[in-house]
Amino acid sequence: MNINIGTTIKNLRTKKQITQKQLATYLGVTEQAVSRWESGGGFPDIQLLPSIASFFSISTDTLLGINVSEREQRLAEIRNKIDEACELGRESTEDTIAEARAWAAEFPGEEDIQRNLADEICKYTMWDEKPKMGLLREAEKIYCTLIDTTGNTEFRNHVIEVLTALYCIGFRDTLRADTCADQISSMKYCRESVKSSVFSAWVQDHPEDEHLLVHYQDYLEKLLTSFCNQADTYVIAHIPNTPDRFDEKIAYFDWLIETYKMFFGENMLTYHADVANWYRIGATYTVAQGKIKETLDRLEKMAEHSLKADMARPGDAYTSPFTNKMTYPGKCDDFDTLSVHNFSYYNRQKLDQSRYDPIREEPRFKNICAILEENMK
């Protein structure tokens, strides 16, 4: 960055109609020092910057010539690109690493931009049979630095999680992975658990504070959704994906759907998206079995729940006995998936997969696509 602080000081001083001597007296420096700054022969001591900015009623960013609005706009642009790439599962390449490296150099103080570089490196080679160890060590160094320097506990925990994965999958070192994960506290001491146990005990003797049960319900909600999403992953990845197990896997997804219906009732708000996903996954098995009607039934349910999820707005209230103290807060960085596009968009893209070719000309299938397309954002 080209810093023209001397020119800025001169322009501000002239506009304020004061002499170099007057400014020097205020700052406790010599008139010659001010003259030297303005002629480009030197810079003010860093400790003087707040005083100079205060004298002219400007920010230190403005004094240094940093355009804050342009910087924030640029950061927002980069972060949107990162989010969209993650949501759409963009493949990491040498070019995307080079781009991430350029962003990290441009914003060395932005933790999430630095983490993105390490993430891109890991996606690029961590899963290879013979990973590029030099790149993985670079990612490890970035993660370790972020863990040591961040003041954000949530961010630190996330970085520990991805570093644990790097040690296990990239370095094939389960011992270091286990030790790394131990830096995070157990479930017993997470904030949701602590609030739930404390406030639910309090409300037993203070029913007038029943509103505090929202913390208990919040914990139940997070436990349930976390469990169901982990069960989802387990069924997909660890139960053999062979035709003789398809009915079993479908049954598990139907059980997850019924569990959500029992807990949330009909008013699932954004959790309709999980149900939509489970209906769609079930349809991938039924279409492989040649069960056309059942596949279309499931995809229609998928579309229905996608639209309902997209309709959820911050402040909407849950109504089931397990959630009736709660409202939908909007996107939650703790648990929600990325949402550059809405759920209708995401599920419509899935229908382009070749597995649906046997039903692509079915009027019901075309109608499902049309419904999602109309609601896509």
Side-chain angles (χ1 to χ4, degrees):
M1 181 173 61
N2 185 19
I3 300 177
N4 296 311
I5 190 171
T7 301
T8 302
I9 291 173
K10 182 177 181 179
N11 292 339
L12 291 167
R13 180 181 60 76
T14 301
K15 184 177 180 180
K16 201 173 178 74
Q17 296 183 335
I18 63 167
T19 65
Q20 290 180 341
K21 183 176 181 179
Q22 288 173 308
L23 177 58
T25 300
Y26 173 80
L27 297 173
V29 299
T30 65
E31 183 180 352
Q32 290 77 14
V34 175
S35 176
R36 191 164 56 251
W37 302 339
E38 292 186 357
S39 64
F43 297 101
D45 188 283
I46 192 171
Q47 294 178 340
L48 290 173
L49 296 183
S51 296
I52 297 172
S54 176
F55 182 80
F56 292 115
S57 300
I58 61 174
S59 68
T60 53
D61 283 340
T62 301
L63 180 64
L64 291 169
I66 299 173
N67 189 315
V68 177
S69 62
E70 286 184 9
R71 179 180 187 277
E72 292 304 316
Q73 184 177 353
R74 173 65 174 153
L75 273 172
E77 175 189 334
I78 292 172
R79 286 169 174 149
N80 187 63
K81 288 182 179 179
I82 292 171
D83 285 351
E84 188 162 13
C86 290
E87 182 191 13
L88 300 178
R90 184 193 68 186
E91 182 181 358
S92 183
T93 65
E94 290 184 0
D95 288 340
T96 64
I97 291 175
E99 183 178 49
R101 204 183 297 284
W103 291 340
E106 185 178 353
F107 295 102
E110 298 296 326
E111 295 176 333
D112 59 330
I113 306 298
Q114 300 301 311
R115 189 198 71 209
N116 176 66
L117 171 56
D119 291 347
E120 279 293 319
I121 290 171
C122 288
K123 285 192 298 180
Y124 175 66
T125 190
M126 185 172 78
W127 299 88
D128 293 345
E129 185 176 344
K130 294 182 178 179
K132 295 177 172 59
M133 300 308 294
L135 283 176
L136 292 188
R137 281 190 287 271
E138 179 186 357
E140 177 193 18
K141 183 177 180 180
I142 294 171
Y143 288 141
C144 287
T145 299
L146 290 171
I147 291 169
D148 290 341
T149 59
T150 186
N152 185 322
T153 302
E154 297 290 336
F155 181 82
R156 181 175 183 272
N157 288 342
H158 173 78
V159 176
I160 291 172
E161 179 184 22
V162 293
L163 180 58
T164 299
L166 172 57
Y167 284 143
C168 185
I169 299 165
F171 289 102
R172 279 70 161 172
D173 190 336
T174 55
L175 180 60
R176 270 206 294 178
D178 193 48
T179 301
C180 183
D182 282 342
Q183 296 178 76
I184 302 177
S185 66
S186 70
M187 290 177 63
K188 180 179 180 180
Y189 297 108
C190 71
R191 63 169 180 254
E192 289 83 7
S193 174
V194 171
K195 288 182 180 181
S196 172
S197 61
V198 171
F199 290 123
S200 62
W202 171 265
V203 171
Q204 289 181 26
D205 296 323
H206 300 83
E208 70 278 6
D209 289 334
E210 190 183 31
H211 63 280
L212 292 174
L213 287 177
V214 67
H215 298 293
Y216 197 89
Q217 293 189 356
D218 177 59
Y219 189 38
L220 286 176
E221 176 201 24
K222 287 184 168 62
L223 284 174
L224 176 73
T225 56
S226 182
F227 163 76
C228 286
N229 283 310
Q230 290 300 316
D232 162 330
T233 301
Y234 188 86
V235 173
I236 292 172
H238 298 290
I239 294 179
N241 200 36
T242 53
D244 62 305
R245 304 295 293 272
F246 284 175
D247 284 337
E248 178 186 355
K249 297 178 85 163
I250 290 169
Y252 287 133
F253 283 109
D254 286 344
W255 176 76
L256 292 176
I257 291 169
E258 291 306 312
T259 300
Y260 260 37
K261 288 181 178 179
M262 181 275 296
F263 185 82
F264 289 107
E266 293 300 317
N267 195 30
M268 301 181 203
L269 300 179
T270 190
Y271 289 119
H272 280 289
D274 287 344
V275 173
N277 188 49
W278 293 328
Y279 274 121
R280 182 183 56 76
I281 295 172
T284 67
Y285 299 121
T286 57
V287 74
Q289 293 173 320
K291 298 177 180 178
I292 304 304
K293 181 180 181 303
E294 184 176 345
T295 299
L296 293 170
D297 288 344
R298 288 181 179 277
L299 291 179
E300 284 175 346
K301 289 288 187 181
M302 177 269 288
E304 174 189 341
H305 286 278
S306 295
L307 267 60
K308 288 181 177 179
D310 289 332
M311 290 170 60
R313 296 293 180 267
D316 288 352
Y318 295 99
T319 55
S320 85
F322 297 104
T323 55
N324 58 9
K325 306 297 179 186
M326 301 173 59
T327 58
Y328 173 47
K331 183 183 177 188
C332 171
D333 290 337
D334 291 341
F335 283 86
D336 286 355
T337 54
L338 296 168
S339 53
V340 175
H341 299 289
N342 64 6
F343 300 111
S344 295
Y345 176 95
Y346 175 78
N347 283 315
R348 174 61 188 86
Q349 306 313 303
K350 293 291 186 180
L351 296 184
D352 286 335
Q353 295 171 342
S354 60
R355 60 166 53 95
Y356 297 111
D357 287 349
I359 60 172
R360 197 162 303 282
E361 297 305 316
E362 291 280 342
R364 288 175 66 188
F365 184 82
K366 291 181 178 180
N367 186 56
I368 292 165
C369 293
I371 290 172
L372 293 173
E373 287 166 7
E374 186 177 353
N375 196 58
M376 279 170 38
K377 291 182 182 177

